[in-house]
Amino acid sequence: MRRVPAWRRGLRPYLLSVPAVLLIIGILYAFFYGVYYTVLNYAATNPTPSFVGADNYRSVLGDPLFWRSAGTTLLYAVAATGLETVLGVAIALLLNRSTLIGKTFERLLILPLMIAPVIAGVIWKLMFNPQFGVLNHVLGLGSTFDWLSKDRALASTILVDVWIYTPFVAILVLAGIRSLPKEPFEASDVDGANWFYMFRRLMLPMMWPYILVAVIFRFMDCLKVFDAVYVLTAGGPGVTTTTLQIGAFEDSITNLNYSRGSTYMFLLWIIVFITARYLVSVLGKAQRRAAGAGA
Amino acid sequence: MNEFTRSESGLHVPKKKVTRRSMLAAMGGAATVPMLYGCGVGTGGGGDDAGSANGAGEVTGSFDWKALKGESIKILQTPHPYQQAFQPLLKEFTELTGIEVQADLVAEADYFTKLNTELAGKTGAHDVFMTGAYFIWQYGPPGWMEDLKPWIENSAATSDEYDFEDIYEGLRTSTRWDFEKGSELGTGGQWAIPWGFETNVVAYNKKEFDARGIALPETFDDFIQLANDLTDRSQNRYGVAFRGSKSWATIHPGFMTQFTREGAKDYTAEGTTYTAAMNSDKAVDFTKKWVDLAKSAGPTSWTTYDYPQCTGDLGNGNAMMVYDADSATYPKQKAGASAQAGNLAWYPGPAGPDGSYATNLWTWSLAMNAASKKKQAAWLFIQWATGKEAMNKATSSTFADPVRASVFDGSFKQTLGEFPGYLETFEKVIDSTKIQFTPQTKFFETTEDWAVALQDIYSGADAKSRLDELAKANTSKINA
């Protein structure tokens, strides 16, 4: 057998890591370029930009709409993630029994996840329509109940998010439930513990890491929500459903003010990054506790 | 460079270990290099690079449709009656010129997002694109559009039969601007060629009107009264549909038309300084009426309504009237196109207190990408698509309204027999049809803010104070 020269063998680990390095450079390049835009005054109307320091940050942070959008985004994220988690866990518990109906629902559950959020937004926009939408017809609300009015638009967009992503939480939690060790439950059963006691004292502590993973994914996604909300309301009525992403989109794409849009997005990245770090640390603690509970 | 040493296994390993930290540092440095290099070359967008040089002067000799036989171009379009009418004709262009055309379609909701991104990237992926006149105010200053005036004026590039002056003057003017504050439209380069256009008038359900003996209202107050009378929510029927979504497109059709007829203006100009006037007494009075009309006799979900929902409700028989583009309602009258096909008719809508029929226009135009590498072929396509012959053929389909007087007066009029009032309406408003907005580069931002203000008023905000707030913000933005 022909011996591979030593220099080639030495080079191999570096060559193997080249795709990953290129990928990371590609990501970092775009990221830093975006950050670089935040200190310029680059816009379509100003194609030869100059350095403006922190002007964009002052402009965005001094804009009441930014803070209102941040509040809307946070409210959306907390409400949607909370509802999806509660419903997702409940559905997972129901589906845990491997009956025929359970298995059928398990397969049906994935359907909303197979629909692109933009399409889901269009479907729900049609269903919300008071003139010919199915919801008002089925619920007997008449032709004047507007799901997307100022008072209801945010709740309606959250409802759509819950419809799309509750199955995601349910599937993740269901996978977690099925991977739990059986022994503690059998022992509790022998000791005469009831279902609720076992759920509260055994299943829930051991499931926390799975639930938290779902919460982290959903919370991050909700902070970045754009597509379904944009299709449903474009951020309106007024600015009722304007999230940070919609604000960034309007500045960058509609108004072609790239620097201000980049500033919006960078600030959103900071929010997501800090939140992610916090939630990951909570997850770590939960995993350690769960390991103790499951041992 | 790291020194290498032979391990016991025979593999070469670095003497100094590459740690995760040093690797990240190296990657960060690698990422910074192109970033800084990027700074040096600028961040794009300027109209001064080679890609945007006008190539019209390089075309010499006599005009020949076959001059670029074997060439191919890509055009970017949105699915629309104009595009649909022309799609079957593209092969005729290929037969005439030997140039292949690939038409890429993007839904209208996403069309300008795609176009903005592509033009800003200056890739020149599409040689020709559909655009509206307002977009010239945004795409022109950074040099993303080619000035077509040198192409029109070059007899080697343009056929003698082209007859540019045959295009309605208001449309030719609306696609020209010099991008200077205070300048009127009609100055500067010809940034696009009008292709199809629309006046904003009222389409109504004639069958219902005739059955109930309803006369067409001449004043805005009468129009409001009629719309309210026609509304019966229990029957899922309402008086009038018009746009209300959070978009600049809510302002420009019926709203801007009636706003102007009532004597209001968007801005007043003093030299190069503009002052927003959408909070004048006339403007506030009209805005209140418009929003109240939306509440009492408009679509229930008004704040999400764009033109497809409006015309859909007209076609389904839910809306008794639509105040929007004539060409948007036009297809609903075609046999089999809607439940109310054959039952519709048109009229100019209410006149202003002084009898004004001032009407805002929209024109879908064809523009050349300044970054195109195939400008001559692109111009041949634009020339053909906006020419008499192709436009005459397109009018037999869903193409309304043609921008050429000769086509309108010729083949298009012949198709209008089943469209009661369409021609009379057109003839009544055409002389006062033009872009009623003040041209300005912040058009989309400030006009979307205007739509947001309408939505806020619809949701209960006080009209006067909300419009004062809007005017203050817009004056500041537009003069920045």
Side-chain angles (χ1 to χ4, degrees), chain B residues 349-361:
Chain B
D354 61 353
S356 165
Y357 281 107
T359 302
N360 194 43
L361 73 78

Side-chain angles (χ1 to χ4, degrees), chain A residues 125 226-239 241-243 246 250, chain B residues 245-247 303-304 448 452 455:
Chain A
K125 192 173 179 177
F226 176 78
D227 29 26
V229 177
Y230 194 78
V231 170
L232 280 166
T233 64
V239 291
T241 57
T242 299
T243 60
I246 289 176
E250 284 178 353
Chain B
S245 74
K246 189 187 158 191
S247 164
T303 54
T304 62
E448 182 171 311
V452 170
Q455 292 192 336

Side-chain angles (χ1 to χ4, degrees), chain A residues 34-35 37-42 52-71 73 242-252 255 257-271, chain B residues 445 477:
Chain A
V35 176
Y37 273 7
T38 68
V39 293
L40 302 178
N41 56 357
Y42 181 33
V52 293
D55 280 4
N56 288 314
Y57 292 93
R58 273 193 286 273
S59 165
V60 171
L61 293 171
D63 185 350
L65 182 59
F66 173 81
W67 293 106
R68 179 166 178 159
S69 303
T73 309
T242 299
T243 60
L244 287 169
Q245 282 275 44
I246 289 176
F249 173 83
E250 284 178 353
D251 266 339
S252 304
N255 305 333
N257 189 340
Y258 308 118
S259 285
R260 203 169 189 277
S262 298
T263 309
Y264 242 98
M265 285 185 272
F266 184 53
L267 290 170
L268 175 60
W269 178 83
I270 291 172
I271 293 168
Chain B
E445 183 176 355
K477 281 181 184 174

